[in-house]
Amino acid sequence: MPLRKEKRTYADRAEYMKTAVVKRRKKLKDMAIEYGGGKCQVCGYDRCKRALSFHHKEPSQKDFGLSSRGLTRSWEKTKIEIDKCILVCANCHMEIHEGMVNI
Ligand SMILES: [Zn+2]
Ligand SMILES: [Zn+2]
């Protein structure tokens, strides 16, 4: 019985660590969105944060999304990257890439 309890504690801890990482990423995402203006900089859309992404103003540079992979870097580096980007919703982002919106 005590052994089992220890195992469970370890599993709980692993679970806790996982949750902490998810929370941290979510927080970074919220911070990134807020830093980028909190809404689509073209049309003002802010209903669904998942529909927002960063469009790089420099065409030779890659856009970066708010997917967890893009936010594993430090906040300082993320901020530098956001300064070169514009926060837009998915629709406006597509329109920008289609050349329908001038930013
Ligand atoms: Zn928009
Ligand atoms: Zn883009």
Side-chain angles (χ1 to χ4, degrees):
M1 199 56 180
L3 242 174
R4 238 183 148 174
K5 204 178 174 193
E6 237 164 68
K7 251 187 193 161
R8 182 174 291 173
T9 308
Y10 178 78
D12 280 352
R13 183 159 168 73
E15 197 53 46
Y16 170 78
M17 296 294 279
K18 246 199 309 195
T19 315
V21 169
V22 170
K23 261 195 201 153
R24 191 182 133 74
R25 281 196 186 136
K26 198 178 171 293
K27 188 154 185 264
L28 267 174
K29 186 174 170 166
D30 286 347
M31 283 163 76
I33 288 171
E34 198 163 310
Y35 189 73
K39 60 185 180 214
C40 173
Q41 299 301 292
V42 176
C43 72
Y45 173 92
D46 67 350
R47 270 165 63 91
C48 176
K49 281 180 185 171
R50 281 191 72 183
L52 297 169
S53 59
F54 289 98
H55 171 73
H56 222 291
K57 286 184 248 179
E58 185 62 54
S60 62
Q61 299 283 310
K62 260 201 282 172
D63 288 343
F64 82 99
L66 287 164
S67 59
S68 40
R69 200 187 288 185
L71 290 172
T72 43
R73 58 189 114 194
S74 74
W75 172 240
E76 285 309 310
K77 280 186 190 155
T78 305
K79 244 178 12 184
I80 290 166
E81 207 59 26
I82 293 171
D83 282 337
K84 298 181 226 160
C85 295
I86 153 170
L87 183 67
V88 287
C89 74
N91 284 343
C92 291
H93 201 168
M94 286 303 149
E95 291 185 10
I96 289 167
H97 280 260
E98 289 296 314
M100 294 161 74
V101 175
N102 269 319
I103 46 160

